Amino acid sequence: MTLSYLIRRLGAVLLVLVIVTFAVFAVTMILPGNAAVMILGEYGSPDQVAALERQLGLDRPWYTQYFAWVAGMLQGDLGTSLRLGMPVSKVVGDALWNSAVLAVTALVGVTIIAIPLGILAAVRRGTASDLGIGVLAYVGTAMPEFVTATVLLVLLAGPATGLFPAGGYVAPWESMSGYWAHVALPAITLGLVMTAHISRQVRSEMSDVLSSDYIRAARLKGLHERRVIRRHALPNSMAPAVAVISLDVGYLLGGIIVVEEIFAWPGLGRTLIYALENRDLPVIQAVTLVLAMVYALTNLISDIVIALLDPRVRYD
Amino acid sequence: MTSPFRSYPGMVGGLLLLIVGVAALFGPWLAPYDPQQFHPQVRLQGPSAAHWLGTDQFGRDILSRLLHGAPSTVFFGIGATLLGVAAGTIIGVIAGVAGRWVDSVIMRIIDGFLAVPDLLFTLLIVTILGGGMGHAMLAVAVAFTPGMARIARSAVLSIRTREYVLAAVARGESSVYIVGREVMPNAMGPIIVEATIRVSFAIMIGATLGFLGLGAQPPSTEWGLMVAEARQFMFRNPWMVVVPGIAIALAAMGFNLFGDALRDSLDVRRSH
């Protein structure tokens, strides 16, 4: 990996973020009814609306508003929530932290489970375990999060079993057992789709590698099968796995919106739904930007990891 | 090209699509009861001879509601995908054929849009337009456009330098002829495969919007909305949530499996 590659990728990410700020700003400009109308409600007189618009700076041309908004953001000022009356940075900051707890739990769990599943399916190609993993993968990709979540709730949180609480959030640093109980169902819901993707990707990559000449050479020179897989096949099939994991962060960021809403997890997704329902513009803008930023950074990190894992990756 | 029905995924996917297709086309006529008719004596029941898939909180027949909801659920997915594919293909082909700065500008903008997860993007657009089936469909189509544009562009780029295209250029054919008769027919494979798979995502997103109250509105029997309405009663009659949930999953799985089989038989690799 060269420094110029790194700089170019970083530049591309920055460009994407600038375009995202434009898109988010444009979307909120198109929204019918601006912030002044929303604060005053439908019954505000035109004079009141005009006065408040002046006060909020909404009568300025769009580019002045855009640059004022971006400048505020760069200084950590995301504005004030129209409904909650709190600084957006506080609302979104707390939610981001809670979402991160859920997302990281799901992602770590998925990585631990999906990669061995994919390897198992590739090594035992054509057997019952391969078929089982394949069917699981297809079912997993076809279940929308709200269906998985609802089915899990019926099965595991109902009065009949009552194994898990139906929703809510406990931080791991407050009570470890409470955290596990609350995080289990939302994390499994989010993880199902990702497990399906990742195990399928690992399987197909691993199958390609296992039928290559250097694996045959390794076997012919009498290496133990375990060693062939661990030292020869595995490292060469990891780069695509990293790529699909980073793509799946996109799913994860969409999935948390629904999953947090269903399990009453006080994260970015629940905040966004609340803001959308109440047309709380500054919060909608901030959550969208944060989610897009996390996604862009994930892609950057995964590009770097892939370049480190696989020297054949072209640097242009 | 071999038939996609020759492989197991293709067979299972084809079978699922057949079932879903029959339900979507003829569901309302196959339904044994009126989907909105109350049967107060038999509320929240499990499957029985009279009500094969049980009844809801008003004693309405779940099978009949499911069959009546099939057209709106399935055609939502197909319609949204077709719109998104059409818009994305036009943009992608323009970028791929024009090349140079036009391509760069279009692709940078598309990269920006692709940085926003699909569901988030759809939610934002639905908020702008207001809820409802038509708006939700438009929103999914817009959310699909950048991804489809990217795939169409890469399909065009891989064709553009082939000998038969260069030959058409050398013959002095018009650019409309070259794009329409030489490039597009050969670039359609990856686009069709991606579109088939995306129908399953569109069905899932549509159902999710219905579930969140931003898509289909009551008294519609769209499947996502059925799950949402059943949630209050899910512990008293699990069939109410499980039946429409499984229906959504089967429809999505059908398109997914069939798309995969189609990809194998057309021999295209997913390129993003």
Side-chain angles (χ1 to χ4, degrees):
Chain A
M1 172 151 48
T2 58
L3 191 64
S4 74
Y5 171 72
L6 203 66
I7 291 169
R8 258 204 304 275
R9 284 293 303 132
L10 206 62
V13 167
L14 283 177
L15 191 65
V16 162
L17 287 179
V18 169
I19 291 166
V20 170
T21 61
F22 264 116
V24 169
F25 188 77
V27 162
T28 46
M29 289 292 279
I30 303 167
L31 270 173
N34 64 21
V37 178
M38 285 174 206
I39 292 171
L40 291 170
E42 302 170 45
Y43 304 111
S45 71
D47 290 347
Q48 285 175 309
V49 171
L52 192 60
E53 274 181 356
R54 228 177 352 266
Q55 192 193 329
L56 293 170
L58 295 174
D59 54 346
R60 295 172 297 171
W62 67 268
Y63 47 85
T64 322
Q65 290 190 46
Y66 173 76
F67 285 113
W69 176 62
V70 171
M73 244 171 11
L74 290 176
Q75 296 162 13
D77 174 16
L78 297 166
T80 308
S81 160
L82 299 182
R83 297 285 157 179
L84 303 167
M86 289 199 290
V88 174
S89 49
K90 167 89 176 117
V91 176
V92 173
D94 291 353
L96 175 63
W97 196 241
N98 296 343
S99 282
V101 169
L102 174 58
V104 169
T105 309
L107 209 55
V108 170
V110 163
T111 311
I112 292 174
I113 293 168
I115 293 180
L117 272 185
I119 295 170
L120 184 73
V123 172
R124 305 241 173 109
R125 222 180 146 167
T127 65
S129 36
D130 179 25
L131 185 70
I133 293 166
V135 169
L136 183 82
Y138 270 113
V139 173
T141 15
M143 298 270 279
E145 287 87 359
F146 77 93
V147 172
T148 316
T150 314
V151 170
L152 285 177
L153 278 174
V154 168
L155 292 178
L156 300 174
T161 50
L163 293 173
F164 294 95
Y169 166 70
V170 174
W173 46 91
E174 285 164 7
S175 150
M176 210 56 195
S177 60
Y179 155 74
W180 281 118
H182 285 87
V183 85
L185 295 186
I188 291 171
T189 307
L190 286 171
L192 189 64
V193 178
M194 293 190 290
T195 307
H197 288 161
I198 295 167
S199 62
R200 255 169 87 184
Q201 181 71 39
V202 170
R203 176 189 180 275
S204 86
E205 199 58 36
M206 192 80 176
S207 314
D208 284 356
V209 169
L210 282 177
S211 58
S212 66
D213 286 340
Y214 64 84
I215 293 297
R216 196 141 49 122
R219 281 182 181 146
L220 284 175
K221 75 185 178 192
L223 280 187
H224 197 275
E225 187 65 20
R226 267 188 120 76
R227 196 173 162 81
V228 172
I229 288 169
R230 282 206 188 145
R231 295 297 302 252
H232 293 253
L234 200 52
N236 286 307
S237 46
M238 274 306 101
V242 173
V244 76
I245 289 172
S246 89
L247 267 183
D248 267 352
V249 171
Y251 282 92
L252 186 67
L253 296 173
I256 56 168
I257 299 172
V258 178
V259 168
E260 289 182 354
E261 178 65 14
I262 293 176
F263 291 102
W265 189 275
L268 286 175
R270 205 171 161 75
T271 309
L272 180 73
I273 298 267
Y274 176 83
L276 286 174
E277 278 168 358
N278 292 288
R279 308 215 138 206
D280 197 337
L281 279 186
V283 177
I284 298 175
Q285 289 174 327
V287 173
T288 312
L289 267 185
V290 168
L291 290 177
M293 215 179 285
V294 171
Y295 192 32
L297 286 179
T298 312
N299 285 338
L300 176 69
I301 294 169
S302 96
D303 280 357
I304 294 171
V305 172
I306 289 167
L308 287 174
L309 278 175
D310 189 345
R312 289 168 301 182
V313 171
R314 286 178 300 129
Y315 293 134
D316 52 27
Chain B
M1 172 182 167
T2 55
S3 164
F5 296 106
R6 297 282 292 273
S7 63
Y8 284 112
M11 266 156 55
V12 177
L15 190 66
L16 287 175
L17 287 192
L18 185 71
I19 297 170
V20 169
V22 168
L25 289 172
F26 307 111
W29 290 278
L30 294 173
Y33 296 91
D34 178 344
Q36 309 296 359
Q37 194 193 342
F38 292 5
H39 302 274
Q41 305 89 338
V42 286
R43 286 181 295 154
L44 294 169
Q45 286 195 342
S48 64
H51 301 279
W52 290 3
L53 296 177
T55 55
D56 70 2
Q57 73 273 26
F58 300 119
R60 295 179 296 194
D61 182 53
I62 293 179
L63 176 62
S64 301
R65 292 178 68 71
L66 197 69
L67 286 170
H68 272 268
S72 49
T73 311
V74 175
F75 292 131
F76 175 94
I78 295 174
T81 309
L82 284 179
L83 281 175
V85 168
T89 303
I90 292 170
I91 296 172
V93 169
I94 290 173
V97 171
R100 286 186 300 238
W101 66 269
V102 178
D103 185 33
S104 306
V105 170
I106 291 179
M107 287 321 289
R108 287 297 84 73
I109 295 172
I110 281 173
D111 283 344
F113 280 112
L114 285 174
V116 183
D118 275 357
L119 184 61
L120 175 59
F121 200 2
T122 316
L123 283 175
L124 287 178
I125 300 167
V126 170
T127 316
I128 299 173
L129 298 174
M133 234 15 197
H135 288 159
M137 194 191 275
L138 203 59
V140 174
V142 174
F144 276 4
T145 301
M148 286 311 304
R150 206 188 180 127
I151 284 156
R153 171 185 174 265
S154 68
V156 167
L157 284 187
S158 71
I159 305 278
R160 214 172 61 144
T161 50
R162 298 280 172 89
E163 275 88 356
Y164 53 82
V165 177
L166 298 178
V169 175
R171 287 203 304 275
E173 303 282 6
S174 72
S175 50
V176 173
Y177 174 92
I178 295 171
V179 172
R181 299 300 298 271
E182 304 284 354
V183 176
M184 281 317 289
N186 293 299
M188 281 320 280
I191 296 173
I192 291 171
V193 168
E194 181 69 21
T196 312
I197 293 172
R198 274 183 189 241
V199 173
S200 76
F201 296 141
I203 288 175
M204 292 196 284
I205 297 177
T208 304
L209 290 175
F211 176 80
L212 292 172
L214 295 166
Q217 301 296 322
S220 163
T221 51
E222 192 271 330
W223 295 345
L225 190 62
M226 277 179 79
V227 177
E229 291 182 340
R231 260 167 60 81
Q232 264 181 286
F233 305 96
M234 63 184 176
F235 295 128
R236 289 169 64 193
N237 183 8
W239 291 91
M240 274 178 72
V241 292
V242 171
V243 166
I246 288 177
I248 295 164
L250 288 181
M253 199 148 62
F255 282 100
N256 215 330
L257 282 165
F258 191 69
D260 269 0
L262 208 57
R263 169 170 43 227
D264 289 344
S265 69
L266 291 173
D267 196 27
V268 288
R269 279 197 75 130
R270 213 170 173 191
S271 52
H272 68 271

